[in-house]
Amino acid sequence: MKRTGYSILQKIIKNHLAEVSDMRPGSEILLKVDQTLTHDINAVMTYLAFEQTGLEKTQAETSVSYLDHNLLGLDFRTADDHIYLQSAAKKYGVWVSRPGNGICHVVHTARFGVPGKICCGGDSHTPHGGSIGMMCIGLGGLEIASVMAGLPLRLTMPKIVNVRLTGTLPIACNAKDIILEMLRRYGTKGGLGKAFEYTGPGAESLAVSERATITNMGAEMGATTSIFPSDEQVRRFLHAQGRDDDFIELLPDKDCFYDELCEIDLSSLEPLCACPDQPDNVIPLKQVEKKHVQQVFLGSCTNTSYKDLARAALVLQGHTVHPDVSCTCAVSSRQIYLELLKDGYLKMLVDAGVRILECGCGPCCAIGQSPATNGISVRTSNRNFKGRSGNPSAKIYLMGPENAAATAIRGTFACAEDILGDRMPILQGVSEPERFEAQDSMLIRPLPLEQAKTVELTKGPGIKFLPLPPALEDELHIRVSLKCPDNITTDDITPASAEFSSMRSDIPSMSAFCFHRFDPDFAERAKEYGQSIIVGGENYGQGSSREHAAINPMYLGVRAVLAKSIARIHRSNLINHGILPLVFADPADYEDISMGDQIEAEDLRKDLSEGFVLFKNITKGTQIKAKVQLSDHEKQILLSGGLLRYIRAQLKME
Ligand code: F3S
């Protein structure tokens, strides 16, 4: 029988098509975007680009600028960034969430998210908002400027995977164990070209905060997005936020069609742990070798909901953090902080010796609390890449907050059950508050247009310029400036840390540290070569959406990346900053190319239209065939000299 119904994502996409499109997987779709979000360590480039569109205000219904990542203020540069971003928000009709109000995804879902809408965020974990039935996509900063300019979002229609959850999550488990189970099954590349739609009786039983842990970490599988239905749980969540009017029910039709099915019986799960250095290196927590743990971090947008931290506090209650463990906690939002304070859970954490940091990203992206040399750090966050904590010698393990709390007490890997024993049922008594104090005093409203027009942008000396790439030429004569293995992350390309995050508005300074921890000589070599190509393995550019991982190499003269595969957001960032993303036609050719090799291609424009580039390796006397799968739109961006020039052309400014 022919199915006529639609899944949740298909419904949202159908309602937002900017032009009639084929909705089959792999087709390009153009979507109208309702909301945008940006955050401080990626957004300066976004607003510098938006400035150049000449538009008076954001064209999205709601745009919010979050100051949440770099709150350390190592020197004047962070303050300069924040002041510029606040002035840009005033000028362009954008809300501001002030430092201390909380992490973008958590605050956005709670205070702005609306089921059925489309939100694009300049951060890979934007799908957090899929927890309320909103379609949320992580993009690079220039793409955010593009949708703020009113241009449609161009997306490759993903395959939609129905993840059917049955059974009940055991008391010892956290939603983290559901997404770690997904990562165990799919791996860090298994979500490429896919979107995950969670349904079933198991999904119905999960609170929005638990769903958010799952949709947030869908990014770790490379998924385009992840979503849950907008059902009674979402109604309850929006009621708790005092936003009942924003609720709409959004369920999949009974006869809808999915491209793939995955089933998880929640009752069969046990506490899991992602071991270093990839989030899909998942094993049962009980099997992790009982080594000494130096640091525990209860934090990040992924797993510091009220329920998460209340349960962690109950494990810690009456205990003291092990003397050899440094245990910190950054609550994800001020709203949650106040509820935990009111209900006594923060006191339990403090009594146990947990050090409370400010509400923000902090250690998750290496803004403080780097572990000791070779130290083991247990975190409730979403990424455990080498160097993600700011110290490449450290080893990061990811797990749910209850077990992280138990680990903090024992000083080695432990489960909540090891501490609570037959008192485990106390964890079952914790649920999300029925009503949060809807405290928006740390949100700054957009100004009326007439007033906004008079605002002057404030740019301190730390804010430099947005470099633009040259248009793609017909011939390439380049050298291999770097050859890297599989799973290079954007953290490897542009290291995370307070120091490097402070440089993100100053590309000339920051580019000197490009690939610094991976190959300290890269920047100098790339500059010496003039124009160059990077050779990568599988899943090149996975992880964070930061477009600095494309801007810095471009600034250093990188014109192409040739890899076995390239992660979705990074691939877009490369194109948007004028770097040609290429994939080996035969992955075995990876072995025949070395750093320093001289590579040439002729007739590039013709090759682009044929989908293959034939490179001559002049040094080795061989040929390499590379696939170049670009949409017409992407070709135009490369031929225009990057997305900003393309946007300006679309807006008829050039
Ligand atoms: Fe921030 Fe880490 Fe989430 S950097 S947005 S808390 S993934």
Side-chain angles (χ1 to χ4, degrees):
M1 192 181 73
K2 191 170 180 294
R3 288 169 193 264
T4 52
Y6 291 92
S7 78
I8 308 160
L9 283 167
Q10 287 161 351
K11 285 182 185 183
I12 299 176
I13 289 169
K14 200 160 125 321
N15 285 339
H16 285 81
L17 286 175
E19 61 181 50
V20 179
S21 306
D22 182 349
M23 283 173 50
R24 274 179 298 189
S27 311
E28 188 180 54
I29 49 174
L30 272 65
L31 299 172
K32 288 178 242 156
V33 172
D34 305 304
Q35 302 190 349
T36 65
L37 71 85
T38 55
H39 64 66
D40 50 355
I41 61 173
N42 284 346
V44 171
M45 295 296 145
T46 304
Y47 289 96
L48 288 177
F50 189 78
E51 260 185 63
Q52 295 197 33
T53 66
L55 292 167
E56 286 182 335
K57 67 185 286 284
T58 174
Q59 305 298 297
E61 270 172 28
T62 308
S63 290
V64 191
S65 176
Y66 290 90
L67 307 179
D68 58 348
H69 276 57
N70 192 357
L71 307 181
L72 215 49
L74 273 187
D75 59 29
F76 68 94
R77 285 176 291 196
T78 304
D80 281 2
D81 283 355
H82 284 193
I83 289 168
Y84 166 68
L85 289 171
Q86 279 197 225
S87 69
K90 267 190 194 164
K91 190 164 184 65
Y92 298 125
V94 173
W95 289 79
V96 172
S97 177
R98 293 172 59 192
N101 199 38
I103 305 174
C104 51
H105 308 304
V106 176
V107 176
H108 199 87
T109 304
R111 305 308 304 152
F112 296 97
V114 178
K117 298 267 183 190
I118 292 185
C119 173
C120 290
D123 186 279
S124 56
H125 291 107
T126 302
H128 187 103
S131 54
I132 59 165
M134 180 162 67
M135 179 170 161
C136 299
I137 309 278
L139 300 176
L142 278 195
E143 289 172 299
I144 297 294
S146 167
V147 295
M148 284 177 67
L151 298 178
L153 166 68
R154 288 173 185 266
L155 200 68
T156 302
M157 180 73 191
K159 281 187 180 170
I160 301 184
V161 182
N162 180 208
V163 186
R164 192 174 151 72
L165 304 180
T166 56
T168 313
L169 197 61
I171 189 173
C173 288
N174 182 285
K176 178 69 129 232
D177 300 308
I178 304 174
I179 191 63
L180 290 182
E181 172 64 16
M182 287 292 289
L183 273 153
R184 197 183 62 75
R185 293 185 188 194
Y186 281 86
T188 52
K189 288 193 308 171
L192 289 175
K194 294 179 182 172
F196 293 98
E197 198 166 304
Y198 292 83
T199 64
E204 283 167 25
S205 68
L206 298 173
V208 163
S209 62
E210 296 173 300
R211 297 173 176 194
T213 297
I214 296 166
T215 56
N216 177 302
M217 281 188 74
E220 273 49 74
M221 297 185 286
T224 304
T225 193
S226 301
I227 199 165
F228 276 80
S230 177
D231 57 6
E232 282 311 302
Q233 294 283 2
V234 177
R235 187 197 296 275
R236 204 169 298 146
F237 175 79
L238 289 173
H239 173 72
Q241 292 292 336
R243 298 178 54 218
D244 303 71
D245 289 349
D246 285 326
F247 176 76
I248 57 155
E249 189 177 72
L250 190 55
L251 308 175
D253 290 333
K254 287 208 165 51
D255 60 348
C256 72
F257 174 79
Y258 288 106
D259 299 296
E260 209 176 298
L261 177 67
C262 165
E263 289 185 279
I264 299 181
D265 174 7
L266 300 185
S267 315
S268 70
L269 294 180
E270 61 178 314
L272 297 171
C273 176
C275 301
D277 293 315
Q278 292 290 328
D280 62 352
N281 188 13
V282 173
I283 59 171
L285 177 54
K286 286 199 167 126
Q287 288 176 17
V288 179
E289 195 186 334
K290 295 260 187 279
K291 291 182 186 159
H292 163 60
V293 169
Q294 183 257 320
Q295 180 187 72
V296 172
F297 172 54
L298 304 168
S300 95
C301 53
T302 316
N303 252 132
T304 53
S305 65
Y306 174 93
K307 187 171 174 180
D308 282 331
L309 291 178
R311 282 166 58 105
L314 288 172
V315 175
L316 282 154
Q317 188 182 25
H319 296 274
T320 302
V321 169
H322 189 280
D324 297 332
V325 174
S326 160
C327 183
T328 55
C329 171
V331 185
S332 56
S333 77
R334 179 166 161 269
Q335 187 189 54
I336 295 171
Y337 187 104
L338 290 169
E339 288 301 315
L340 290 167
L341 186 68
K342 180 161 68 74
D343 296 344
Y345 291 115
L346 270 189
K347 183 172 185 313
M348 289 180 203
L349 293 173
V350 174
D351 280 347
V354 177
R355 291 143 56 206
I356 307 296
L357 309 175
E358 51 182 322
C359 298
C361 300
C364 175
C365 53
I367 311 276
Q369 304 301 322
S370 283
T373 306
N374 301 321
I376 288 182
S377 177
V378 164
R379 297 181 167 214
T380 62
S381 46
N382 40 35
R383 291 192 170 137
N384 59 348
F385 305 140
K386 192 176 164 71
R388 172 79 181 181
S389 62
N391 180 353
S393 79
K395 297 285 177 204
I396 308 177
Y397 292 74
L398 308 175
M399 64 178 73
E402 307 83 353
N403 299 318
T407 299
I409 296 166
R410 287 282 165 91
T412 187
F413 294 93
C415 299
E417 212 165 354
D418 298 334
I419 303 295
L420 292 176
D422 56 11
R423 289 174 55 242
M424 278 297 278
I426 60 167
L427 297 185
Q428 220 145 27
V430 181
S431 53
E432 290 291 336
E434 282 178 20
R435 197 82 186 192
F436 279 95
E437 199 181 330
Q439 249 263 29
D440 287 338
S441 58
M442 295 291 273
L443 289 173
I444 304 174
R445 285 184 170 276
L447 291 176
L449 187 57
E450 283 312 307
Q451 218 178 322
K453 279 184 193 168
T454 64
V455 173
E456 295 288 331
L457 293 170
T458 313
K459 288 184 190 162
I463 298 189
K464 300 285 195 271
F465 56 95
L466 174 62
L468 296 181
L472 194 67
E473 291 170 4
D474 217 21
E475 292 185 3
L476 277 180
H477 300 273
I478 48 184
R479 289 184 73 185
V480 178
S481 53
L482 191 70
K483 183 173 179 184
C484 27
D486 293 348
N487 292 318
I488 280 291
T489 69
T490 49
D491 283 291
D492 293 321
I493 306 171
T494 54
S497 79
E499 183 192 359
F500 293 117
S501 295
S502 307
M503 290 183 195
R504 288 199 188 188
S505 313
D506 179 356
I507 301 301
S509 299
M510 192 184 196
S511 62
F513 297 93
C514 189
F515 280 107
H516 185 61
R517 291 189 182 134
F518 183 76
D519 178 347
D521 299 328
F522 168 75
E524 278 309 311
R525 190 186 312 121
K527 273 199 268 183
E528 182 199 322
Y529 289 177
Q531 296 207 338
S532 68
I533 181 168
I534 291 174
V535 174
E538 296 281 7
N539 209 14
Y540 178 86
Q542 67 163 327
S544 155
S545 68
R546 78 189 63 142
E547 65 187 335
H548 291 75
I551 301 175
N552 286 313
M554 178 273 287
Y555 185 74
L556 294 169
V558 173
R559 295 288 165 256
V561 166
L562 172 59
K564 292 181 187 167
S565 62
I566 303 175
R568 177 185 70 88
I569 299 179
H570 188 60
R571 179 185 169 281
S572 298
N573 284 336
L574 291 175
I575 295 167
N576 295 337
H577 291 282
I579 297 177
L580 190 58
L582 301 159
V583 176
F584 285 102
D586 178 359
D589 285 346
Y590 171 86
E591 304 303 334
D592 293 335
I593 189 164
S594 311
M595 199 152 79
D597 283 0
Q598 181 75 41
I599 307 284
E600 289 185 6
E602 295 166 357
D603 258 349
L604 215 49
R605 284 169 193 255
K606 183 168 142 279
D607 287 352
L608 289 191
S609 57
E610 289 174 0
F612 287 97
V613 175
L614 206 56
F615 283 111
K616 282 186 201 152
N617 185 333
I618 304 296
T619 311
K620 299 252 166 59
T622 53
Q623 284 202 332
I624 298 162
K625 199 173 178 188
K627 285 192 276 185
V628 52
Q629 289 158 331
L630 299 170
S631 66
D632 289 344
H633 168 71
E634 289 170 335
K635 275 179 218 157
Q636 283 174 33
I637 292 173
L638 281 165
L639 295 172
S640 311
L643 182 60
L644 183 55
R645 286 206 178 97
Y646 176 82
I647 296 170
R648 287 170 59 89
Q650 292 294 298
L651 297 173
K652 308 224 181 313
M653 298 180 66
E654 283 183 350

